[in-house]
């Protein structure tokens, strides 16, 4: 137990609370605070720097520096000692600031007289708000107690900033959560939508950062931690016989909940004058700051566990549960750090759009969003700290841009864009029942991708001619245990019924890499995209493959059935998988079940190696589908989850299109039906180029069928092929500029 006798930091915090309790305006409050801190720290200078924009800090208050420099002195993040504290979120404590690495002299402040410098970050939950600085003429290094005290004060200033205590004139003192904000992320699902924010996990607001009675705050903390521990233990009891991965997470929770170090640090913070809530949030902020700097995936996950546990503890202390009383708006745009597939499915089609602070283009959430045709932007930094429930929001899934609380100009331009898209959809509806015939008379068959029963109505509405890819893994991903065979039979039966006789290509279980079953023991692989996944898992665990094949055969109940194996890298894998099909058919025949009227067994070509398989493979496989998403990343050796490299490589790269043409040629020689499935199939410009290379079957999300068909009907594939050939002869890297010029001239 820490001592809770009067301390300097607690005295300072009490004085701060008195200063902030008055009716002073924001600037006056900040001025008082700098005076109090300078006096308490026995330093000649105390200054508060706050961000005026993402890259610029502004001196907002000072005691000891030239008063004329307030709101005039600005610096870029990383510039000078203050900028270094802001960039790296770390304390700088030096007795000789002018000679310290990174020091920058600001003549208007008059700070050349001061040798000692102590700067601490003002941050809240990992979000950098500014820097708190004390300086003195005497060349001394501030004690660890002084550093700690200043960190506690900085944390309170962060809370007060969040609560709007320092609102004043100028950008740096503008109220939070009221200004228009433009945030950029990564496109995970196209579409443009307007709506209002719905926070998946409403932010906990700490309204009492300073303790009235430290003894009572310690009691509150201990009571809340005990409630937390009991809750984790109960969850563990329920999970003991089930989900191993969830069990590991809960074990990590229990470890943190019983951590003496975690508890001791929070007790010390309370002893310094913080409330129980503020002590928890101070620890959480530091954990989030570390999380942003840790590269090791395991350590990041553990810090994420601690972050989640802190949220649970804060909700217990504040009584601010996930049920805030707010009503889901009519046009909700979901905001979350991350979200699982099961939780997302619970929201269903009610959502207009989704914006995630983390996530990935290949995550479970992205798969569900595509299936539900909900625009999704991921990797949108700061969205969970910037957005409030009910905020007006516009999500541009075409550009990966989010407009939060947009101004009238943005609203007008965005609504014009949505209106243009609506007109385009009307035009696409008028050609829904027409064939995709190019000007030179080539027929291109357009199919749709699906993974949920909710997708199937789009088969008729979109004008798709069939389902070129039904992702069977979604039913496995959204559960906490393996689905029963009877459940799969019923589902696949409903899919075939809804298709109304149109061809449905069922892709067998494609798990691994970024699609990990919650009830499957995780594998520690350095590069899971190249690891144990898809067909490799199926062949190593034949029981699961047989169960799924049995379900598909029984669901067909005598009707035609099409099955496709994912991620086949060599002939032997396909041959072994085909043998499992034959065994399953024979077993079903012996059991007296009706066999499919016609059974087609194909493979996805997602690895370059399969394009060079022996001719016997092309003779035996009944159809092939190019899995464009994976093939492209392996062809260019560029991880599609890595923004640094993903955008460097274009689908319309001459080398890639030449490779596609080679695959088309091999399939034509052997008479093997070939299709292309992936995001690029649904992008009109890419689609016409793929068709020009000889692909006559394209499978895409339902919303893309209309735009792709519209463009195909306007082009001559001979012209496109000539443009590609000419670009290749000229030695150009990509044909995109030449194709775009041709389309503009149409």
């Amino acid at each position: 137990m820490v001592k809770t006798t009067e301390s300097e930091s607690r005295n300072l915090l009490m004085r701060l609370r008195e200063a902030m309790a008055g009716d002073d305006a924001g600037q006056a409050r900040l001025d008082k605070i700098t005076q109090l801190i300078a006096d308490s720290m026995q330093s000649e200078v105390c200054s508060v720097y706050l961000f005026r924009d993402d890259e610029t800090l502004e001196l907002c208050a000072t005691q000891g520096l030239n008063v004329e420099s307030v709101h005039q002195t600005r610096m870029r993040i990383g510039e000078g000692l203050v900028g270094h504290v802001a960039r790296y979120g770390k304390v700088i404590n030096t007795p000789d600031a002018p000679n310290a690495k990174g020091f920058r002299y600001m003549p208007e402040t008059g700070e050349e007289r001061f040798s000692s410098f102590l700067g601490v970050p003002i941050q809240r939950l990992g979000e950098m708000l500014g820097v708190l600085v004390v300086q003195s003429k005497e060349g001394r290094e501030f004690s660890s107690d002084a550093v700690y005290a200043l960190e506690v004060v900085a944390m309170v200033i962060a809370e007060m900033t969040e609560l709007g205590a320092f609102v004043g004139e100028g950008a740096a003192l503008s109220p939070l959560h009221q200004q228009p904000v433009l945030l950029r992320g990564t496109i995970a699902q196209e579409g443009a939508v307007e709506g209002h924010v719905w926070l998946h996990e409403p932010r906990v607001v700490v309204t009492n950062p300073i303790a009235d009675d430290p003894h009572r705050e310690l009691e509150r903390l201990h009571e809340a931690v005990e409630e937390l521990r009991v809750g984790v233990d109960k969850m563990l009891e329920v999970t003991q016989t089930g989900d191993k991965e969830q069990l590991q997470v809960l074990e990590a929770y229990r470890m943190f909940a019983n951590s003496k170090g975690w508890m001791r640090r929070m007790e010390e913070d309370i002893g310094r004058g913080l409330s129980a809530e503020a002590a928890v949030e101070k620890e959480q902020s530091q954990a989030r700051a570390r999380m942003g700097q840790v590269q090791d995936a395991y350590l990041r996950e553990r810090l994420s566990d601690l972050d989640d546990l802190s949220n649970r503890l804060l909700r217990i202390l504040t009584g601010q549960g996930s049920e805030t009383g707010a009503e889901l708006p009519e046009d909700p745009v979901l905001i979350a750090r991350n979200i699982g597939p099961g939780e997302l499915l619970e929201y269903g089609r009610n959502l207009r759009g989704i914006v995630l602070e983390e996530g990935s283009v290949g995550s479970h959430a992205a798969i569900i969003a595509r299936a539900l045709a909900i625009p999704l932007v991921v990797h949108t930094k700061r969205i969970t700290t910037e957005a409030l429930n009910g905020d007006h929001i516009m999500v541009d899934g075409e550009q990966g841009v989010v407009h939060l609380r947009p101004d009238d100009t943005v609203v007008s331009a965005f609504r014009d864009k949505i209106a243009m898209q609506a007109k385009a959809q009307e035009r696409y509806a008028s050609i829904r029942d027409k064939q995709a015939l190019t000007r030179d008379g080539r027929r291109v068959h357009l199919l749709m991708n699906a993974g949920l029963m909710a997708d199937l109505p789009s088969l008729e509405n979109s004008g798709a001619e069939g389902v070129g890819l039904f992702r069977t893994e979604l039913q496995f991903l959204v559960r906490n245990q393996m689905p029963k065979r009877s459940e799969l039979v019923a589902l696949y039966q409903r899919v075939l019924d809804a298709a109304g006789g149109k061809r449905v290509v069922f892709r067998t279980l494609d798990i691994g890499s970024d699609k990990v079953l919650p009830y499957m023991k995780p594998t520690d692989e350095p590069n899971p995209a190249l690891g144990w996944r898809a067909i490799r898992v199926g062949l190593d665990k034949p029981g699961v493959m047989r169960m799924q094949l049995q379900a598909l055969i029984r669901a067909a109940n005598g009707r035609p059935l099409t099955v496709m194996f994912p991620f086949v890298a060599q002939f032997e894998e396909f041959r072994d998988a085909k043998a499992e099909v034959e065994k399953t058919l024979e077993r079903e025949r012996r059991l007296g079940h009706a066999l499919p009227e016609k059974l087609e067994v194909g493979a996805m070509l997602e690895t370059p190696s399969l394009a060079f398989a022996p001719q016997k493979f092309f003779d035996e496989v009944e159809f092939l589908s190019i899995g464009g998403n994976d093939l492209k990343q392996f062809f260019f050796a560029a991880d599609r989850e890595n923004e640094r490299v993903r955008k460097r490589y274009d689908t319309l790269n001459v080398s890639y299109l030449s490779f596609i043409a080679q695959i088309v040629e091999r399939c034509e020689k052997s008479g093997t039906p070939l299709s292309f499935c992936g995001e690029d199939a649904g992008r009109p410009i890419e689609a016409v180029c793929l068709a020009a290379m000889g692909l006559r079957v394209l499978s895409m999300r339902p919303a893309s069928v209309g735009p792709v068909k519209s463009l195909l009907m306007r082009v001559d594939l001979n012209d496109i092929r000539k443009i590609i050939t000419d670009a290749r002869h000229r030695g150009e890297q990509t044909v995109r500029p030449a194709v775009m010029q041709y389309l503009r001239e149409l």
Side-chain angles (χ1 to χ4, degrees), residues 39 129 144 172 379 513 569 680 741:
D39 180 48
L129 301 176
S144 58
H379 301 154
S513 185
D680 289 322
Q741 181 61 33

Side-chain angles (χ1 to χ4, degrees), residues 238-281:
V238 173
T239 317
Q240 283 297 339
T241 58
D243 186 338
K244 290 185 179 178
E245 188 173 349
Q246 189 179 356
L247 189 64
Q248 289 177 338
V249 171
L250 291 174
E251 287 287 4
Y253 279 4
R254 181 154 68 179
M255 179 187 74
F256 283 125
N258 289 283
S259 167
K260 292 181 180 179
W262 186 49
M263 195 70 184
R264 186 188 68 251
R265 289 192 298 274
M266 291 188 292
E267 288 173 341
E268 287 175 352
D269 289 331
I270 291 173
R272 300 274 182 166
L274 291 182
S275 67
E277 291 92 332
V280 174
E281 193 165 278

